[in-house]
């Protein structure tokens, strides 16, 4: 009993001395996160890759350690209702061109296209709350495949990753895609443009909701119905000014060419979305679950044109 009493008194002294110092060195939000992780380590979503820890530190000196606390989706309506893991090979539509989920259009690519939520599908693939691994031709993966093709035809060296970061655990999508980005940047040193390609997600319960959403996220160009797009900026990025300026500049440029095609930049107060990893890092939403995959794919040629001209002019 005496030993237990001494142990309790010792622990109390340590806490009294240490906790004030920790609390002063952190803001309130960080301090609470510290307490949670310290008290309930099993609740933390942080993964332990001790064998790669040294390389991770070298590659990610700017990582904010609250990454795992970021809300990884836009609204509850975008959470998949089914974990569909029937197709484990993750083979894209253009399967022969991809090796280990990666396609390179040049030996030393300068642009990376990937999908933190590769399972996102469009209105013509509603299973799993518009999330599936089986309908790649109706998903953001196919949109990324077409964008890769369009940009490569314009002379860009593109690396396209079709890895599913949102399966099996949707809540760790951005932590998973971060590892992909790190790996790609480590293997291909010339990449300085990265594009995380998504589709927007809304709560669509009725046909009227679907119609209204389709009107919001689609337009007509040259007689063809196409999906609109917009950029998302995570306001917690350490390079926020650069990320925000890039998104706003490309949006302005897109409006000068196709005024109805692009929507205003969306800012997320507590997000980073891995946008601190490259000099030019964008999160783009092409269409939504209220637009069809054909409408999304029809907009790709215009998005490719915008990106191509913008970055060539900026150089």
């Amino acid at each position: 009993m005496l030993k237990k009493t001494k142990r309790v008194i010792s622990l109390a002294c340590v806490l009294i001395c240490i906790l004030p110092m920790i609390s002063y060195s952190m803001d309130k939000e960080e301090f609470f996160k510290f307490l949670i992780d310290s008290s309930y380590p099993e609740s933390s979503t942080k993964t332990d890759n001790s064998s790669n820890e040294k390389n991770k530190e070298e590659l990610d000196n700017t990582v904010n350690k609250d990454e795992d606390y970021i809300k990884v989706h836009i609204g509850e309506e975008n959470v998949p209702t089914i974990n569909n893991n029937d197709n484990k090979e993750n083979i894209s539509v253009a399967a022969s061109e991809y090796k280990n989920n990666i396609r390179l259009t040049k030996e030393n690519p300068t642009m990376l296209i990937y999908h933190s939520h590769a399972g996102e599908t469009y209105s013509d693939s509603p299973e799993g709350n518009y999330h599936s691994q089986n309908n790649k031709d109706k998903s953001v993966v196919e949109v990324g495949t077409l964008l890769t093709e369009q940009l490569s035809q314009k002379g860009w060296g593109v690396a396209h990753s079709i890895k599913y970061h949102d399966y099996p655990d949707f809540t760790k999508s951005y932590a998973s895609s971060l590892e992909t980005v790190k790996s790609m940047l480590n293997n291909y040193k010339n990449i300085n443009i990265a594009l995380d390609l998504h589709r927007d997600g809304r709560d669509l319960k009725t046909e009227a909701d679907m119609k209204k959403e389709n009107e919001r996220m689609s337009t007509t160009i040259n007689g063809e119905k196409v999906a609109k797009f917009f950029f998302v900026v995570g306001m917690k990025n350490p390079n926020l000014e650069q990320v925000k300026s890039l998104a706003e500049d490309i949006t302005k440029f897109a409006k000068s060419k196709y005024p109805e095609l692009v929507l205003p930049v969306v800012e997320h107060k507590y997000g980073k979305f891995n946008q601190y990893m490259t000099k030019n890092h964008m999160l783009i939403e092409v269409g939504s679950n209220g637009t069809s995959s054909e409408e999304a794919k029809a907009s790709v040629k215009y998005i490719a044109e915008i990106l191509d001209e913008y970055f060539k002019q900026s150089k």
Side-chain angles (χ1 to χ4, degrees):
M1 183 68 182
L2 182 60
K3 288 183 178 180
K4 288 186 178 179
T5 303
K6 289 182 179 179
R7 191 177 301 169
V8 170
I9 292 172
S10 299
L11 179 59
C13 291
V14 171
L15 290 174
I16 289 170
C17 295
I18 294 177
L19 286 181
M21 290 187 291
I22 295 175
S23 63
Y24 282 122
S25 65
M26 302 178 179
D27 61 30
K28 189 180 293 183
E29 182 180 356
E30 289 174 332
F31 182 57
F32 280 122
K33 289 171 187 174
F34 168 80
L35 289 179
I36 290 170
D37 279 345
S38 299
S39 302
Y40 305 99
E42 69 276 8
S43 69
S44 175
T45 60
K46 295 172 183 174
T47 55
D48 180 19
N49 295 315
S50 56
S51 63
N52 294 323
E53 201 59 38
K54 184 176 180 181
N55 290 334
K56 285 174 66 178
E57 290 176 2
E58 292 174 354
L59 284 167
D60 197 19
N61 290 328
T62 61
V63 170
N64 187 329
K65 295 307 178 185
D66 67 355
E67 181 75 53
D68 296 318
Y69 293 88
I70 293 173
K71 194 173 183 180
V72 296
H73 53 84
I74 303 174
E76 294 298 322
E77 66 276 4
N78 202 33
V79 179
T81 57
I82 299 174
N83 258 356
N84 192 337
N85 288 308
D86 293 337
N87 188 345
K88 296 181 180 179
E89 294 183 355
N90 295 338
I91 300 173
S92 88
V93 177
S96 62
E97 298 180 0
Y98 288 80
K99 294 181 180 179
N100 299 321
N101 295 326
I102 299 293
R103 177 192 176 190
L104 301 179
T105 65
K106 282 189 178 181
E107 187 175 345
N108 295 305
T110 56
M111 187 180 295
L112 168 65
I113 298 175
Y114 69 102
H115 311 274
S116 290
H117 295 156
E120 290 179 332
T121 56
Y122 291 91
S123 63
D124 42 346
S125 179
E127 69 173 280
N129 194 23
Y130 305 97
H131 290 77
S132 173
Q133 285 181 284
N134 296 325
N135 292 332
K136 292 182 178 66
D137 61 328
K138 301 182 187 301
S139 75
V140 294
V141 170
E142 177 68 354
V143 176
T145 299
L146 290 177
L147 183 58
T148 298
E149 188 64 29
Q150 290 281 336
L151 288 168
S152 66
Q153 289 177 7
K154 296 178 184 297
W156 289 90
V158 182
H160 181 211
S161 168
I162 59 171
K163 181 179 178 180
Y164 280 80
H165 301 100
D166 43 347
Y167 289 93
D169 190 345
F170 186 79
T171 65
K172 294 182 180 179
S173 300
Y174 286 99
S176 177
S177 64
L178 176 60
E179 294 306 311
T180 292
V181 173
K182 288 179 182 178
S183 175
M184 296 300 291
L185 294 179
N186 190 45
N187 291 329
Y188 305 102
K189 306 294 186 181
N190 291 332
I191 291 177
N192 60 13
I193 301 171
L195 193 69
D196 188 2
L197 198 156
H198 296 247
R199 60 109 180 101
D200 196 14
R202 296 299 173 103
D203 190 9
L204 307 175
K205 296 179 179 178
T206 66
E207 289 186 12
D209 291 339
M210 182 68 74
K211 182 179 179 182
K212 184 176 180 180
E213 174 62 10
N214 187 270
E215 291 173 352
R216 181 185 78 92
M217 283 301 294
S218 66
T219 189
T220 300
I221 299 179
N222 297 326
E224 182 181 30
K225 194 173 182 182
V226 302
K228 296 180 182 180
F229 75 93
F230 61 89
F231 295 102
V232 177
V233 170
M235 301 298 284
K236 282 285 188 177
N237 279 288
N239 59 336
L240 174 60
E241 185 176 343
Q242 183 178 16
V243 173
K244 188 176 179 181
S245 177
L246 177 65
E248 290 176 344
D249 283 352
I250 301 179
T251 297
K252 183 178 179 181
F253 181 72
K255 278 187 173 294
S256 71
K257 294 182 68 66
Y258 304 104
E260 301 301 320
L261 182 62
V262 62
L263 295 174
V265 173
V266 172
E267 298 177 357
H268 275 268
K269 185 177 179 181
Y270 296 108
K272 291 203 303 292
F273 311 118
N274 305 332
Q275 291 174 301
Y276 52 85
M277 290 300 296
T278 59
K279 180 181 178 181
N280 303 287
H281 206 131
M282 299 158 282
L283 191 159
I284 185 172
E285 307 266 2
V286 180
S288 76
N289 56 335
T291 57
S292 71
S293 59
E294 292 305 314
E295 290 164 345
K297 287 184 279 189
S299 69
V300 166
K301 55 182 170 290
Y302 301 109
I303 296 172
E305 178 186 333
I306 290 164
L307 294 175
D308 172 60
E309 292 184 11
Y310 174 82
F311 283 108
K312 284 179 179 176
Q313 288 179 18
S314 67
K315 287 184 178 181

PDB file of all heavy atoms in Angstrom, residues 301-313:
ATOM      1  N   LYS A 301     -11.265  17.213 -71.825  1.00  0.00           N
ATOM      2  CA  LYS A 301     -10.480  17.878 -72.871  1.00  0.00           C
ATOM      3  C   LYS A 301     -10.318  19.369 -72.593  1.00  0.00           C
ATOM      4  O   LYS A 301      -9.282  19.963 -72.910  1.00  0.00           O
ATOM      5  CB  LYS A 301     -11.109  17.657 -74.248  1.00  0.00           C
ATOM      6  CG  LYS A 301     -12.544  18.061 -74.397  1.00  0.00           C
ATOM      7  CD  LYS A 301     -13.049  17.736 -75.798  1.00  0.00           C
ATOM      8  CE  LYS A 301     -14.559  17.894 -75.931  1.00  0.00           C
ATOM      9  NZ  LYS A 301     -15.271  16.829 -75.175  1.00  0.00           N
ATOM     10  N   TYR A 302     -11.324  19.961 -71.955  1.00  0.00           N
ATOM     11  CA  TYR A 302     -11.240  21.384 -71.622  1.00  0.00           C
ATOM     12  C   TYR A 302     -10.338  21.608 -70.406  1.00  0.00           C
ATOM     13  O   TYR A 302      -9.575  22.577 -70.359  1.00  0.00           O
ATOM     14  CB  TYR A 302     -12.640  21.941 -71.361  1.00  0.00           C
ATOM     15  CG  TYR A 302     -13.565  21.779 -72.543  1.00  0.00           C
ATOM     16  CD1 TYR A 302     -14.615  20.868 -72.515  1.00  0.00           C
ATOM     17  CD2 TYR A 302     -13.371  22.532 -73.708  1.00  0.00           C
ATOM     18  CE1 TYR A 302     -15.458  20.717 -73.608  1.00  0.00           C
ATOM     19  CE2 TYR A 302     -14.201  22.388 -74.810  1.00  0.00           C
ATOM     20  CZ  TYR A 302     -15.237  21.462 -74.757  1.00  0.00           C
ATOM     21  OH  TYR A 302     -16.063  21.315 -75.853  1.00  0.00           O
ATOM     22  N   ILE A 303     -10.423  20.710 -69.431  1.00  0.00           N
ATOM     23  CA  ILE A 303      -9.555  20.810 -68.254  1.00  0.00           C
ATOM     24  C   ILE A 303      -8.093  20.628 -68.657  1.00  0.00           C
ATOM     25  O   ILE A 303      -7.209  21.348 -68.191  1.00  0.00           O
ATOM     26  CB  ILE A 303      -9.963  19.769 -67.193  1.00  0.00           C
ATOM     27  CG1 ILE A 303     -11.374  20.069 -66.677  1.00  0.00           C
ATOM     28  CG2 ILE A 303      -8.967  19.750 -66.039  1.00  0.00           C
ATOM     29  CD1 ILE A 303     -11.944  18.992 -65.778  1.00  0.00           C
ATOM     30  N   ALA A 304      -7.845  19.673 -69.554  1.00  0.00           N
ATOM     31  CA  ALA A 304      -6.480  19.455 -70.043  1.00  0.00           C
ATOM     32  C   ALA A 304      -5.955  20.688 -70.770  1.00  0.00           C
ATOM     33  O   ALA A 304      -4.790  21.082 -70.597  1.00  0.00           O
ATOM     34  CB  ALA A 304      -6.447  18.236 -70.970  1.00  0.00           C
ATOM     35  N   GLU A 305      -6.807  21.279 -71.569  1.00  0.00           N
ATOM     36  CA  GLU A 305      -6.425  22.493 -72.304  1.00  0.00           C
ATOM     37  C   GLU A 305      -6.077  23.619 -71.338  1.00  0.00           C
ATOM     38  O   GLU A 305      -5.071  24.319 -71.514  1.00  0.00           O
ATOM     39  CB  GLU A 305      -7.580  22.923 -73.207  1.00  0.00           C
ATOM     40  CG  GLU A 305      -7.328  24.204 -73.989  1.00  0.00           C
ATOM     41  CD  GLU A 305      -8.573  24.669 -74.753  1.00  0.00           C
ATOM     42  OE1 GLU A 305      -9.416  23.814 -75.096  1.00  0.00           O
ATOM     43  OE2 GLU A 305      -8.688  25.889 -74.979  1.00  0.00           O
ATOM     44  N   ILE A 306      -6.890  23.778 -70.305  1.00  0.00           N
ATOM     45  CA  ILE A 306      -6.668  24.833 -69.308  1.00  0.00           C
ATOM     46  C   ILE A 306      -5.354  24.608 -68.562  1.00  0.00           C
ATOM     47  O   ILE A 306      -4.528  25.525 -68.429  1.00  0.00           O
ATOM     48  CB  ILE A 306      -7.855  24.891 -68.328  1.00  0.00           C
ATOM     49  CG1 ILE A 306      -9.091  25.442 -69.042  1.00  0.00           C
ATOM     50  CG2 ILE A 306      -7.517  25.738 -67.097  1.00  0.00           C
ATOM     51  CD1 ILE A 306     -10.393  25.186 -68.302  1.00  0.00           C
ATOM     52  N   LEU A 307      -5.144  23.402 -68.066  1.00  0.00           N
ATOM     53  CA  LEU A 307      -3.919  23.110 -67.318  1.00  0.00           C
ATOM     54  C   LEU A 307      -2.680  23.245 -68.188  1.00  0.00           C
ATOM     55  O   LEU A 307      -1.655  23.807 -67.768  1.00  0.00           O
ATOM     56  CB  LEU A 307      -3.993  21.697 -66.725  1.00  0.00           C
ATOM     57  CG  LEU A 307      -5.045  21.461 -65.640  1.00  0.00           C
ATOM     58  CD1 LEU A 307      -5.078  19.986 -65.253  1.00  0.00           C
ATOM     59  CD2 LEU A 307      -4.771  22.325 -64.410  1.00  0.00           C
ATOM     60  N   ASP A 308      -2.761  22.740 -69.391  1.00  0.00           N
ATOM     61  CA  ASP A 308      -1.634  22.805 -70.327  1.00  0.00           C
ATOM     62  C   ASP A 308      -1.239  24.250 -70.607  1.00  0.00           C
ATOM     63  O   ASP A 308      -0.063  24.621 -70.445  1.00  0.00           O
ATOM     64  CB  ASP A 308      -2.014  22.102 -71.632  1.00  0.00           C
ATOM     65  CG  ASP A 308      -0.976  22.291 -72.717  1.00  0.00           C
ATOM     66  OD1 ASP A 308       0.180  21.884 -72.505  1.00  0.00           O
ATOM     67  OD2 ASP A 308      -1.326  22.847 -73.782  1.00  0.00           O
ATOM     68  N   GLU A 309      -2.197  25.068 -70.976  1.00  0.00           N
ATOM     69  CA  GLU A 309      -1.894  26.452 -71.323  1.00  0.00           C
ATOM     70  C   GLU A 309      -1.453  27.251 -70.103  1.00  0.00           C
ATOM     71  O   GLU A 309      -0.518  28.060 -70.189  1.00  0.00           O
ATOM     72  CB  GLU A 309      -3.113  27.106 -71.981  1.00  0.00           C
ATOM     73  CG  GLU A 309      -3.436  26.534 -73.355  1.00  0.00           C
ATOM     74  CD  GLU A 309      -4.582  27.257 -74.035  1.00  0.00           C
ATOM     75  OE1 GLU A 309      -4.981  28.342 -73.525  1.00  0.00           O
ATOM     76  OE2 GLU A 309      -5.068  26.765 -75.059  1.00  0.00           O
ATOM     77  N   TYR A 310      -2.090  27.011 -68.972  1.00  0.00           N
ATOM     78  CA  TYR A 310      -1.735  27.777 -67.771  1.00  0.00           C
ATOM     79  C   TYR A 310      -0.287  27.510 -67.357  1.00  0.00           C
ATOM     80  O   TYR A 310       0.478  28.451 -67.133  1.00  0.00           O
ATOM     81  CB  TYR A 310      -2.671  27.420 -66.608  1.00  0.00           C
ATOM     82  CG  TYR A 310      -2.268  28.073 -65.313  1.00  0.00           C
ATOM     83  CD1 TYR A 310      -2.636  29.400 -65.039  1.00  0.00           C
ATOM     84  CD2 TYR A 310      -1.458  27.412 -64.382  1.00  0.00           C
ATOM     85  CE1 TYR A 310      -2.235  30.009 -63.859  1.00  0.00           C
ATOM     86  CE2 TYR A 310      -1.052  28.024 -63.202  1.00  0.00           C
ATOM     87  CZ  TYR A 310      -1.448  29.326 -62.945  1.00  0.00           C
ATOM     88  OH  TYR A 310      -1.052  29.943 -61.796  1.00  0.00           O
ATOM     89  N   PHE A 311       0.094  26.245 -67.247  1.00  0.00           N
ATOM     90  CA  PHE A 311       1.436  25.945 -66.766  1.00  0.00           C
ATOM     91  C   PHE A 311       2.513  26.268 -67.798  1.00  0.00           C
ATOM     92  O   PHE A 311       3.637  26.615 -67.417  1.00  0.00           O
ATOM     93  CB  PHE A 311       1.517  24.490 -66.312  1.00  0.00           C
ATOM     94  CG  PHE A 311       0.894  24.252 -64.964  1.00  0.00           C
ATOM     95  CD1 PHE A 311      -0.290  23.571 -64.845  1.00  0.00           C
ATOM     96  CD2 PHE A 311       1.511  24.752 -63.814  1.00  0.00           C
ATOM     97  CE1 PHE A 311      -0.873  23.377 -63.590  1.00  0.00           C
ATOM     98  CE2 PHE A 311       0.936  24.559 -62.569  1.00  0.00           C
ATOM     99  CZ  PHE A 311      -0.244  23.877 -62.452  1.00  0.00           C
ATOM    100  N   LYS A 312       2.199  26.163 -69.071  1.00  0.00           N
ATOM    101  CA  LYS A 312       3.182  26.550 -70.088  1.00  0.00           C
ATOM    102  C   LYS A 312       3.397  28.058 -70.085  1.00  0.00           C
ATOM    103  O   LYS A 312       4.514  28.538 -70.266  1.00  0.00           O
ATOM    104  CB  LYS A 312       2.737  26.050 -71.467  1.00  0.00           C
ATOM    105  CG  LYS A 312       2.954  24.559 -71.661  1.00  0.00           C
ATOM    106  CD  LYS A 312       2.484  24.081 -73.011  1.00  0.00           C
ATOM    107  CE  LYS A 312       2.745  22.575 -73.176  1.00  0.00           C
ATOM    108  NZ  LYS A 312       2.217  22.048 -74.467  1.00  0.00           N
ATOM    109  N   GLN A 313       2.321  28.817 -69.882  1.00  0.00           N
ATOM    110  CA  GLN A 313       2.446  30.279 -69.805  1.00  0.00           C
ATOM    111  C   GLN A 313       3.174  30.702 -68.532  1.00  0.00           C
ATOM    112  O   GLN A 313       3.952  31.658 -68.548  1.00  0.00           O
ATOM    113  CB  GLN A 313       1.055  30.914 -69.855  1.00  0.00           C
ATOM    114  CG  GLN A 313       0.397  30.842 -71.216  1.00  0.00           C
ATOM    115  CD  GLN A 313      -1.005  31.457 -71.214  1.00  0.00           C
ATOM    116  OE1 GLN A 313      -1.360  32.212 -70.324  1.00  0.00           O
ATOM    117  NE2 GLN A 313      -1.807  31.119 -72.226  1.00  0.00           N
TER     118      GLN A 313
END
